[in-house]
């Protein structure tokens, strides 16, 4: 009941806020009524810009206008005709959706801050604020107070300039062109006058109006998001070229199993009496003969591999998990076993080796996907057998196969019964022997040398479970059957975003710099895992949109970042990223481009990318952000020095690369609320820290945490990063 009331409060509170904010004209819940043109067609584009104030009646709007939404006379959002043409509903609803939560922020700022609470409704307060703004004298008869330099300003900009002039500022930097309500670009800021040259340079490079106030020689430079250029006059923001990215992996893919093994050894308790009993029964079906070559598909940590080694000349122990295979190798080495070879293998997608006398495949086929995928795996496993070869497998009964019978409630689509029936339908192999218990069945199939050979009736042994599982496995048993209480796994989404932080990808590192250098082979293994695990690249804009909408990103997402822009990013890292289908943000120290990492050389200078190489990378779709001009710890700087670093680096990236870089990574992790404030005023929408963790909706977009990938990070520790 508490959660239900909270949800009701959230919903009703927002609707009441909108009704109070918009001039409702006695018509509550107007947003539920849709208004269309009489012919039912969509809006058409028009160069007209119509200002609409939330506290006033909506004016007559021509077809397909550009609209500027105001609250209390302050600009909330510009909506162009292209966005309007995608809708056929209420104009109020269109503008409310476009403004998002920024509408609430502006309403609070204009109607409530600095006024006594209580009394007049919000819309009356907003109407008063709008009238107060409109009364500001903008263009005195004798002389113009603002040098617009030919800039085309959006509706309301002149009123905002008048308000700024009355506050005693020297000049106004207009709103950064983001098209993103609620971002850092929507926050007011005062910038030091001593930084005027760098701020002018930034404005020129990014086509943002810089508007001096005539006669004002003192006071700060105001960044005012209420002053905006007219739609279409500023260049659009550069975006990364999308790469071919891997499809989402199933819920029980490589990511699931690597994380499982990374969490600790023997996650399935293969040393328990219950599992050892299954191993004994499996060996009894294999028989006492000697085998030349064997494949164990789904070998886990090798508990059964070492037993197979006693009866097989060569055992290929295969599993999807690299962590599990490392434990197989360690187990065999500790026991002096030399005839077991490990191989990473995804049964559901990888080609299978062949010519095996024996294939063992136990406790793994539940995870192949749907029944069509299971049938494909069954055919490929049968084809991997040499004529006369034997296939042995053990799988548990699950409720989805037969809810009326005893089984495990694991939420899996099928179990031993369906797996056995699927293999029996494969031409060329026959079931010879089966041990059936209430909890599992073990089966032996043989590949016929000649498909015309008539097979004998299989031997079916029904035996009790003389040993029962313990712990979590026992908790999943439903004796006598039951409806499954476990829902199928939900679609994979990302509500916490891992943002990886790299520096160099190189085979050698200067003494003291090993932490910041990842060997190319290790980096490639990490990318291979991310691809196989179904990760896809997320962009800062995608994450910002998801956070603003309070919804997760679709699929399993990740963001990769590279600080400093070393030369080896272009020669080594980027080709590997392209091969595996991942994007990466590259942060450039603009004052050191084409030089070396003089800020932290440790006795050996490492070369950085030059401007032509950076231009080539941008042309290939690499998004580039700022790592400041000289790589300082910004928290140790005064305000003016801080703004110089942030504004100049962004201006240089725009001038040299033709991009509106709006991401910044703070050198040495030096960031705080003041740094974030000035970064937003300089046009940065996303800021990356060195604070360790995965990003969530609770993290400000200018203070996103990252996960450092150090040079000595083991593969298991890399997988465990995503549980942070």
């Amino acid at each position: 009941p508490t959660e239900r009331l909270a949800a009701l409060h959230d919903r009703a509170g927002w609707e009441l806020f909108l009704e109070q904010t918009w001039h409702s004209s006695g018509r509550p819940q107007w947003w539920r009524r849709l208004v269309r043109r009489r012919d039912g067609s969509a809006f058409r584009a028009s160069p007209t810009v119509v200002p609409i104030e939330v506290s006033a009646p909506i004016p007559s709007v021509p077809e397909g206008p550009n609209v500027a939404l105001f609250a209390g006379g302050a600009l909330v959002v510009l909506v162009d005709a292209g966005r309007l043409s995608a809708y056929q509903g209420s104009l109020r609803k269109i503008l409310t959706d476009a403004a998002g939560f920024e509408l609430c922020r502006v309403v609070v700022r204009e109607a409530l801050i600095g006024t006594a609470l209580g009394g007049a409704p919000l819309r009356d307060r907003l109407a008063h604020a709008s009238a107060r703004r409109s009364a500001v004298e903008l263009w005195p008869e004798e002389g113009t107070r603002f040098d617009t330099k030919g800039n085309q300003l959006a509706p309301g900009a002149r009123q905002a300039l008048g308000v700024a002039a009355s506050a005693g500022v020297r000049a106004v930097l207009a709103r950064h062109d983001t098209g993103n309500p609620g971002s850092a670009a929507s926050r007011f800021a005062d910038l030091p006058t001593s930084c005027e040259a760098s701020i002018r340079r930034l404005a020129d490079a990014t086509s943002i109006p810089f508007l001096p106030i005539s006669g004002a020689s003192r006071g700060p430079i105001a960044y005012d998001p209420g002053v905006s250029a007219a739609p279409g006059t500023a260049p659009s923001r550069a975006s990364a070229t999308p790469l071919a990215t891997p499809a989402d992996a199933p819920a029980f893919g490589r990511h699931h199993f690597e994380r499982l093994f990374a969490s600790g050894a023997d996650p399935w308790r293969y040393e328990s009496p219950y599992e050892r009993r299954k191993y004994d029964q499996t060996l009894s079906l294999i028989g006492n003969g000697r085998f030349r070559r064997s494949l164990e598909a789904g070998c886990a940590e090798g508990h059964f591999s070492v037993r197979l080694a006693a009866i097989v000349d060569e055992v290929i122990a295969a599993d999807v998990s690299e962590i599990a295979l490392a434990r197989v190798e360690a187990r065999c080495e500790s026991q002096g076993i030399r005839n077991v070879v490990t191989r990473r293998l995804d049964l559901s997608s990888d080609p299978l080796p062949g010519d095996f006398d024996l294939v063992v495949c136990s406790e793994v086929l539940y995870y192949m996907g749907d029944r069509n995928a299971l049938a494909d795996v069954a055919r490929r496993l049968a084809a991997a057998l040499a004529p006369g070869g034997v296939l042995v497998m053990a799988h548990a009964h699950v409720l989805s196969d037969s809810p009326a019978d005893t089984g495990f409630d694991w939420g899996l689509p099928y179990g031993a019964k369906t797996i056995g029936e699927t293999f029996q339908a494969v031409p060329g192999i026959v079931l010879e022997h089966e041990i059936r218990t209430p909890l599992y069945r073990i089966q032996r199939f043989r590949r016929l040398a000649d498909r015309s050979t008539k097979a004998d009736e299989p031997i079916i042994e029904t035996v009790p479970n003389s040993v029962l599982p313990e712990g979590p496995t026992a908790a999943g048993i439903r004796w006598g059957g039951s409806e499954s209480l476990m829902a199928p796994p939900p679609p994979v989404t990302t509500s916490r975003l891992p943002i990886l932080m790299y520096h160099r990808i190189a085979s050698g590192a200067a003494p003291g710099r090993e932490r910041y250098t990842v060997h190319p082979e290790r980096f490639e293994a990490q990318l291979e895992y991310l691809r196989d695990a179904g990760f896809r690249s997320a962009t800062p804009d995608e994450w910002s949109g998801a956070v603003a909408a309070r919804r997760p990103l679709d699929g399993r997402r990740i963001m990769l970042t590279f600080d400093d822009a070393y030369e080896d990013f272009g020669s080594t890292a980027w080709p590997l990223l392209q091969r595996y289908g991942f994007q990466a943000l590259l942060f450039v120290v603009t004052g050191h481009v084409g030089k070396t990492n003089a800020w932290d050389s440790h006795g050996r200078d490492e070369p950085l990318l030059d401007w032509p190489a950076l231009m080539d990378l941008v042309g290939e779709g690499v998004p580039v952000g700022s790592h400041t001009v000289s790589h300082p710890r910004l928290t140790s700087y005064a305000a003016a020095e801080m703004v110089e670093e942030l504004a100049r680096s962004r201006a240089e990236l725009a001038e040299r690369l033709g991009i509106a870089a709006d991401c910044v990574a703070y050198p040495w992790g030096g960031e705080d609320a003041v740094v974030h404030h000035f970064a937003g005023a300089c046009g940065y929408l996303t800021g990356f820290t060195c604070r360790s963790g995965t990003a969530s909706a609770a993290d400000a977009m200018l203070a996103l945490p990252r996960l450092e990938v150090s040079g000595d990070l083991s593969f298991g520790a890399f997988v465990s990063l995503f549980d942070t």
Side-chain angles (χ1 to χ4, degrees):
T2 302
E3 292 177 0
R4 199 166 56 118
L5 285 174
L8 179 64
H9 174 273
D10 289 345
R11 186 173 71 249
W14 180 246
E15 292 180 354
L16 288 171
F17 165 78
L18 292 178
E19 186 178 347
Q20 278 278 298
T21 301
W22 281 96
H23 185 81
S24 60
S25 303
R27 293 181 288 114
Q29 296 191 336
W30 47 261
W31 54 86
R32 302 195 186 283
R33 302 184 181 186
L34 300 181
V35 179
R36 297 189 182 190
R37 294 177 52 195
R38 289 184 180 180
D39 62 1
S41 62
F43 294 115
R44 290 197 299 270
S46 165
T48 308
V49 179
V50 178
I52 293 181
E53 165 63 44
V54 297
S55 60
I58 291 185
S60 175
V61 178
E63 298 173 359
N66 293 319
V67 173
L69 175 64
F70 293 87
L75 180 67
V76 181
V77 65
L78 289 165
V79 182
D80 60 54
R83 291 174 68 181
L84 291 179
S85 64
Y87 293 86
Q88 295 193 17
S90 159
L91 186 57
R92 286 187 181 93
K93 184 178 187 306
I94 294 169
L95 294 174
T96 301
D97 290 345
F101 195 64
E102 184 65 11
L103 178 60
C104 179
R105 292 190 179 99
V106 176
V107 166
V108 170
R109 186 177 68 226
E110 302 304 325
L112 297 180
I113 293 179
T115 65
L117 296 179
L122 273 178
R123 59 177 172 270
D124 293 347
R125 292 167 178 264
L126 290 168
H128 178 70
S130 179
R132 187 172 63 246
R133 281 178 175 269
S134 299
V136 174
E137 185 180 16
L138 301 175
W139 305 99
E141 292 182 2
E142 296 182 4
T144 299
R145 297 179 62 189
F146 306 102
D147 181 7
T148 62
K149 294 186 176 180
N151 286 296
Q152 300 179 40
L153 302 181
R158 293 181 176 181
Q159 284 85 350
L161 283 170
V163 173
S166 65
V169 301
R170 175 186 176 88
V172 173
L173 178 65
R175 184 190 186 101
H176 297 290
D177 183 45
T178 65
N180 182 19
S183 71
S186 300
R187 307 292 174 264
F188 292 87
D190 284 343
L191 301 171
T193 304
S194 61
C195 300
E196 180 173 342
S198 292
I199 295 170
R200 283 178 178 269
R201 180 181 176 186
L202 173 61
D204 290 341
T206 55
S207 300
I208 301 300
F210 181 85
L211 307 167
I213 297 177
S214 299
S217 59
R218 297 184 178 180
I221 298 169
Y223 171 67
D224 191 336
V227 179
S228 183
T233 58
S236 59
R237 292 167 54 215
S239 59
T241 303
L243 298 175
T245 55
D248 286 334
F252 296 108
R254 184 180 178 189
H255 184 58
H256 171 82
F257 293 105
E258 295 285 17
R259 289 180 65 191
L260 183 69
F261 288 111
S263 67
D266 197 11
W268 281 294
R269 302 190 178 190
Y270 282 137
E271 298 284 2
S272 68
Y274 173 73
E275 296 296 342
R276 287 202 301 268
R277 172 63 173 159
K278 275 198 294 184
Y279 286 157
D280 292 341
Q281 292 171 317
T282 302
L283 283 172
S284 72
L285 281 195
I286 291 176
N288 297 321
R290 185 78 187 176
F291 295 88
R292 173 181 56 87
R293 192 163 182 257
S294 170
L295 170 68
E296 185 188 7
C299 65
E301 296 174 333
H303 293 83
F304 195 64
S305 307
V306 297
R307 300 184 71 169
L308 282 177
I311 60 172
V312 180
D313 294 337
E314 181 190 18
V315 177
I316 297 180
D319 200 278
V320 72
S321 168
E322 196 73 45
I323 298 172
L325 293 176
R327 291 176 185 164
V328 175
E329 293 170 359
R331 185 181 304 278
C332 292
E333 183 177 357
S334 68
Q335 299 183 31
I337 296 172
R338 300 287 183 264
N339 60 330
V340 174
V341 178
T342 60
R343 176 168 179 173
R344 202 182 67 75
L345 182 71
D346 187 338
L347 267 180
S348 63
S349 58
D350 291 340
L352 297 180
D355 193 33
F356 292 106
D357 302 321
L358 172 65
V359 171
V360 178
C361 185
S362 295
E363 306 290 1
V364 68
L365 293 175
Y366 323 103
Y367 307 112
M368 294 300 101
D370 60 23
R371 299 186 184 210
N372 289 332
L374 173 65
D376 176 66
V377 173
R379 289 190 292 269
R380 293 193 292 118
L381 282 173
L385 288 170
V390 172
L391 166 68
V392 178
M393 57 187 183
H395 289 91
H397 296 293
V398 299
L399 294 182
S400 55
D401 272 351
S402 183
D405 297 324
T406 294
F408 290 91
D409 189 6
W410 288 340
L412 295 171
Y414 48 78
K417 181 174 181 291
T418 296
I419 293 170
E421 292 171 351
T422 301
F423 275 78
Q424 284 181 273
V426 175
I429 63 170
V430 294
L431 177 64
E432 291 187 326
H433 198 157
E434 179 177 311
I435 297 174
R436 188 178 300 176
T437 80
L439 295 179
Y440 57 84
R441 64 178 68 182
I442 305 171
Q443 299 171 307
R444 184 182 77 206
F445 290 82
R446 185 178 297 276
R447 180 175 176 180
L448 299 175
D450 184 349
R451 291 192 180 186
S452 63
T453 303
K454 183 174 177 57
D456 296 330
E457 285 296 315
I459 300 170
I460 307 294
E461 294 183 58
T462 302
V463 300
N465 286 110
S466 57
V467 181
L468 296 178
E470 302 171 354
T473 304
I477 301 173
R478 300 292 176 262
W479 296 102
S482 168
E483 290 296 325
S484 176
L485 301 178
M486 288 190 64
V492 176
T493 58
T494 299
S495 56
R496 298 189 65 90
L497 180 67
I499 304 174
L500 303 186
M501 176 174 63
Y502 291 91
H503 289 81
R504 294 194 64 210
I505 306 298
S507 55
R513 294 288 299 175
E514 295 87 354
R515 170 183 171 183
Y516 304 106
T517 305
V518 177
H519 194 281
E521 291 181 3
R522 181 167 290 190
F523 180 59
E524 183 168 10
Q526 293 167 356
L527 293 179
E528 182 183 44
Y529 162 68
L530 293 175
R531 180 200 62 190
D532 294 348
F535 281 97
R536 292 187 286 124
S537 291
T539 67
D541 280 350
E542 287 176 318
W543 180 242
S544 174
V547 169
R550 291 298 191 268
R551 57 169 173 77
L553 288 172
D554 63 296
R556 187 172 290 139
R557 300 299 197 96
I558 196 166
M559 196 181 295
L560 287 82
T561 65
F562 285 77
D563 289 5
D564 304 332
Y566 286 97
E567 201 173 70
D568 51 60
F569 176 85
S571 62
T572 306
W574 178 235
L576 288 171
L577 288 162
Q578 289 177 299
R579 181 184 307 171
Y580 288 93
F582 289 99
Q583 192 53 269
L585 276 167
L586 180 64
F587 294 108
V588 175
V589 185
T590 58
H592 291 261
V593 170
K595 301 176 184 176
T596 64
N597 60 331
W599 62 86
D600 188 29
S601 64
H602 279 266
R604 189 173 89 186
D605 292 342
E606 305 291 353
L608 304 175
L609 290 164
D610 59 20
W611 289 114
L614 287 170
M615 179 63 82
D616 289 342
L617 289 169
V618 168
E620 293 176 14
V622 176
V624 170
S626 166
H627 207 34
T628 70
V629 177
S630 61
H631 203 283
R633 190 181 301 274
L634 291 173
T635 48
S636 67
Y637 271 16
E641 296 171 307
M642 195 183 301
V643 171
E644 285 286 342
E645 288 280 343
L646 293 165
R648 278 180 53 202
S649 59
R650 187 163 186 253
E652 288 171 359
L653 291 172
E655 293 165 350
R656 292 299 198 108
L657 303 179
I659 59 172
D662 52 22
C663 296
V664 59
Y666 308 112
W668 310 108
E671 44 85 25
D672 57 17
V674 177
V675 175
H676 306 159
H677 179 72
F678 285 124
C682 290
Y684 296 103
L685 303 180
T686 314
F688 296 86
T689 74
C690 293
R691 179 167 52 88
S692 183
T694 51
S696 72
D699 295 301
M701 286 302 297
L702 280 170
L704 296 178
R706 293 190 285 177
L707 300 167
E708 182 182 3
V709 183
S710 59
D712 60 352
L713 192 70
S714 69
F715 183 77
F718 179 80
V719 171
S720 297
L721 281 177
F722 308 110
D723 295 323
T724 303

